[in-house]
Amino acid sequence: MKIRTFLFLLISSPALLMSAQVDLPTMGWSSWNTYLIDINDSLIKKQADAMVKSGLKDAGYRYINIDDGYFGGRDPKTGQLLIHPTRFPNGMKPVVDYIHSLGLKAGIYSDAGANTCGNMYNNDTIAANVGFYGHEMQDAEFFFNTLGFDFIKVDFCGAQSIGNRQHRCYEPQERYTAISNAIKATGRDDVRLNACRWDYPGTWISDVAASWRISEDIQNEWKSVKNIINQSLYLSPFAGGGHYNDMDMLEVGRSMSPEEDRTHFGMWCIMASPLLIGCDLTSLKPETLELLTNPEVVALNQDPLGLQAYVAKRDGDTYVLVKDIENLNGNVRAIAFYNPTDEPKELSIDFSDIQLGGNVQVRDLFARKDLGKKLTSFSQTIPAHGLGLYRLEADERLMRGLYEAETAFLPTYQELYNPIAIGTPTHDQDERCSGGVKVTRLGHRASNDIRWRDVIVPDDGDYRLSFRYLADKKVRLYVQANDGEATQLNLDPSDGFETVEVVMPLKKGDNEVRLFNEYQWLPELDYMKVEKISE
Ligand code: GLA
């Protein structure tokens, strides 16, 4: 290629421009799933060696993360954190240096409170009073400047009243913000913080962490994988900009069936979860290595747009998920056909439902095989507990008409506290709704609104926005597009779902549509439809 054409491509491709800006999901290995607290320096070094020798490093895996089990208490006089005297007899520095000498990055673990989870649940008595609480700056300096770690997972056992013997109980936002500030104060701006609070914490987490756990600990069984996938289906609006929902460390290569391992890994990839391998890298089965290094599946996870897929179609218990890859709103998208049921199922998608038009070239990413061009729709039989992942390249990108409420950004959404008690929205199952899900408990505060932040239209002009809702009493609804004036809609009580419409100007490209009412609760919402009004 001539240099001039190449430069033009570089400048004109948003994906390439974005790749410079967005951190991609962390890829690496973590000690917890296989070894729990039974870790030591030679074990960690052997895993680092295996990461390189196996080819995993070349496939993009970089971080060697030491989880719970390395603590050796604190010096009672200085408060200095100590390293376990027999598991890491030479301290941590040589281990970190060794990891770095292999061209890898090193990760460590702590707690937002005083004790670690291993202290509470794995009887690691030496790990009392070793968490960040009261030692934020001292520990951050030690981890990131003295030892040179590049990543930290911060757990929450010691900060919960039931999780520590002192019955300490702290606010996650306050704790993670203090820890994030302490990390910034070390002068290191490249450290990745992972918040481990076991439920989606709230939208504030994107300001403090690179990734955050959304579920309880993964177990080495299909039921657990399926549960975690369920919990992440409607979290895509909260990932982005280099910040990710963490579906937990991988159980791939331990003892699930090959089909389940593929589904587990493939879903973590399309959902842009961090990929932290949890098995023993020194005894990888060939099929495990092949799966973990499949370049086309890994590329879905490391796509420069850094997006999490959202549910485009639900049919019974099966799902089709979709996300843009390579270019925002371009002709290429990736889809997942996800069958968590115990029977094989035929899954299908009409291309118009995922905004692809004309001929669509389909590529099977697991098999790394082109399946040819398809027109209008595509279907496949997916085995029980199975997954199909496909790259679709279409002649045209069509305008999106349907925006489910459960794919919108909800600024107050959180899973830590009882949403009824504190008045925050939830994604609720309702078979009367398209996709089987609605959003409830919006409104009553200006900030408790709903925002579709990705309403992309082809031209400036007037558009009809229709909202499908269920109102149990008279209610006002305000609709605002971008920074424009809001329109007030007056809704009457209804027995079933109704639709209300408004015409609003939208601008060519990206728009945000917002519904709010700071005094009253909003109706339950199923979806928004967007149509261009023809001239
Ligand atoms: C918690 C975390 C796990 C692991 C253990 C360590 O349970 O969720 O991922 O780090 O603590 O004790």
Side-chain angles (χ1 to χ4, degrees), residues 32 67-68 109 117-118 153 155 196 198 213 217 248-249:
W32 184 255
D67 207 286
D68 208 349
Y109 166 96
C117 298
K153 164 176 170 181
D155 222 330
C196 182
W198 321 295
R213 285 272 297 278
D217 292 6
D248 206 353
M249 302 162 289

Side-chain angles (χ1 to χ4, degrees), residues 452-473:
W452 286 277
R453 303 198 293 185
D454 50 356
V455 181
I456 299 179
V457 297
D459 310 292
D460 289 340
D462 281 338
Y463 288 80
R464 180 179 301 108
L465 310 181
S466 349
F467 303 97
R468 188 163 186 262
Y469 68 93
L470 179 69
D472 60 358
K473 50 172 96 69

